[in-house]
Amino acid sequence: MTQIRSWYRPMRARPGDEPHRVATSLELLYDLCFVVAVGRTAIEFHHALSENHVLQGLAGFLFVFWAIWWPWLQFSWFASSYDTDDVPYRLAVLVQIAGGLVIAAGVPGAFHGDFRVVVIGYVLMRLAAVTQWLRAARSDPARRVTALRYAGGITVVQVLWIARLWLPDSLLVPSVLVLFLVELAVPVWAERAAGTTWHPHHIAERYGLFTIIVLGETVIGATAAVQEGIAETEALAELIGLAGCGLVIVFAMWWLYFDRPGHARLTSLPAAIRWGYGHYLIFASAAAVGSGIEVAVDHHLHKTTLPMFAVGLAVTVPVAIFVLSVWLLQIGPRDECRPLAVGFPAAAVLAVAVSFTPIPIHLVAVVLAALVVTTVVATEGHTVERTHS
């Protein structure tokens, strides 16, 4: 039977156990547009590291990635509960996409201390989300207080973000950290009134798709860096080896993340908040690995003055953070499988330790490959539910 599309529908909560709940084409378009912002952030972080502006680059990376990740997270959870796919909903998402592109345009300035454009794009996205929550408040009486708390809380924080632009530079770090904490507190406060009906399988799929996006950006960035140096015949063999190791690292990261179904961890609101918020570390570290591999390519082409151990740390530290985050969020430190309970933290320690060897990128690839083998052997014969898009 052909479904008749309506230009407007009441924004009622979708069931949390709705069958065949998967990402929509609009959500995929939303993600695709965010690739631009993630890519620009990785490029600027690479340049900052290669130019030995490590602290400034790291601060810019963490701030900009937050500005990308947090609106994405909020959109994904809202859509899981209230995606009506009508005209007003689509137009609001269009505004959010436009805000994401504004953020992408402001990335270079943010890495040099000018956050105005990024804040404008961020506030634009968040205020578009407020209109969605107001619609939900009107159409869903059971969760009206929740929706109004979201709308009110988001609006207040956006006013504070704009006001922060006039604060002196000496208050930049503490003011940003305070606003980050307030942003994180809004969903916790709002959901206490009445929980929204997010769909565990849908949320896990959305997070999996974003993980693939950041891993894909790592591949693109590393490939571009190798391509730039392909004419350097003296370093060709080293570049080929580096590219191969980069591919092993990315593939192992993908394997480790998707080995366990994410929705199995979404058993309650507190668990969902920990899992959802904790993915900032997974997403950011995965994106940072790509920048680190590009710095390694620069080192082989003598385009950076960074010492080899610093180049190694640019890859091994985000790899270690990724491994620990996957262990804590996807598997759980209390997992009964002893090899996994020991293997993941041991691999993270080894990843950092090899930074001080002459070939850190090659060795961290070996460490991750060994962890994948350990995971396969340890879970052999055990039934593990897989998720399929």
Side-chain angles (χ1 to χ4, degrees):
M1 183 177 179
T2 303
Q3 182 178 3
I4 300 175
R5 181 175 300 280
S6 174
W7 80 272
Y8 178 86
R9 298 191 186 96
M11 189 171 271
R12 298 190 179 95
R14 299 182 64 160
D17 57 352
E18 181 180 352
H20 311 298
R21 182 75 166 95
V22 296
T24 65
S25 59
L26 182 58
E27 289 175 310
L28 299 179
L29 177 63
Y30 185 96
D31 291 353
L32 180 62
C33 292
F34 266 65
V35 170
V36 179
V38 173
R40 288 300 304 167
T41 304
I43 290 171
E44 293 299 325
F45 190 38
H46 157 227
H47 290 162
L49 292 177
S50 288
E51 295 166 5
N52 207 6
H53 300 151
V54 178
L55 293 180
Q56 180 182 350
L58 182 60
F61 175 78
L62 294 176
F63 175 82
V64 174
F65 204 88
W66 167 279
I68 297 168
W69 164 76
W70 185 247
W72 176 91
L73 176 148
Q74 292 289 284
F75 166 76
S76 297
W77 288 80
F78 179 88
S80 190
S81 300
Y82 290 108
D83 184 356
T84 57
D85 195 32
D86 58 8
V87 173
Y89 178 87
R90 291 185 174 191
L91 292 177
V93 174
L94 174 63
V95 174
Q96 291 174 284
I97 290 174
L101 296 178
V102 172
I103 290 175
V107 168
F111 273 81
H112 292 87
D114 184 0
F115 300 101
R116 289 175 297 177
V117 176
V118 169
V119 170
I120 290 171
Y122 179 83
V123 170
L124 180 63
M125 297 185 69
R126 303 300 286 128
L127 292 181
V130 169
T131 66
Q132 301 279 49
W133 281 114
L134 291 176
R135 285 191 62 194
R138 179 182 179 183
S139 301
D140 187 7
R143 297 167 188 84
R144 180 165 295 156
V145 175
T146 300
L148 290 176
R149 283 187 178 186
Y150 269 110
I154 293 170
T155 300
V156 170
V157 180
Q158 302 326 296
V159 172
L160 294 176
W161 275 114
I162 295 173
R164 199 221 61 78
L165 294 175
W166 279 271
L167 291 178
D169 292 340
S170 60
L171 296 177
L172 173 63
V173 174
S175 62
V176 166
L177 291 178
V178 168
L179 288 175
F180 282 173
L181 292 175
V182 176
E183 288 272 23
L184 291 172
V186 169
V188 178
W189 171 61
E191 293 285 339
R192 286 181 177 177
T196 51
T197 59
W198 44 269
H199 195 295
H201 288 79
H202 176 246
I203 289 295
E205 182 191 19
R206 298 291 295 121
Y207 274 69
L209 290 171
F210 201 84
T211 301
I212 290 175
I213 285 175
V214 292
L215 290 177
E217 285 298 327
T218 296
V219 173
I220 292 171
T223 301
V226 171
Q227 185 178 2
E228 290 180 7
I230 206 72
E232 303 286 340
T233 55
E234 295 181 359
L236 185 58
E238 293 179 346
L239 290 176
I240 292 175
L242 197 60
C245 290
L247 184 60
V248 171
I249 290 171
V250 171
F251 191 71
M253 291 168 69
W254 168 85
W255 191 308
L256 295 171
Y257 180 85
F258 287 99
D259 191 64
R260 296 289 183 92
H263 69 266
R265 310 292 299 174
L266 303 176
T267 55
S268 64
L269 178 60
I273 289 174
R274 289 193 299 269
W275 188 89
Y277 287 7
H279 266 71
Y280 175 78
L281 296 175
I282 290 180
F283 296 153
S285 61
V289 168
S291 299
I293 292 175
E294 292 183 73
V295 173
V297 172
D298 287 349
H299 182 270
H300 284 289
L301 297 176
H302 309 291
K303 294 182 178 180
T304 178
T305 59
L306 283 176
M308 192 60 209
F309 81 89
V311 173
L313 288 172
V315 176
T316 60
V317 169
V319 164
I321 293 173
F322 181 89
V323 168
L324 285 177
S325 300
V326 169
W327 175 56
L328 291 171
L329 298 176
Q330 293 289 91
I331 298 172
R334 297 180 181 178
D335 192 276
E336 296 179 357
C337 184
R338 190 66 178 172
L340 297 186
V342 175
F344 275 77
V349 172
L350 287 174
V352 176
V354 301
S355 306
F356 304 94
T357 67
I359 49 173
I361 314 303
H362 300 72
L363 291 180
V364 80
V366 172
V367 169
L368 286 184
L371 182 58
V372 169
V373 172
T374 301
T375 300
V376 172
V377 173
T379 56
E380 179 67 25
H382 293 271
T383 301
V384 179
E385 183 184 357
R386 308 288 181 182
T387 55
H388 299 276
S389 301

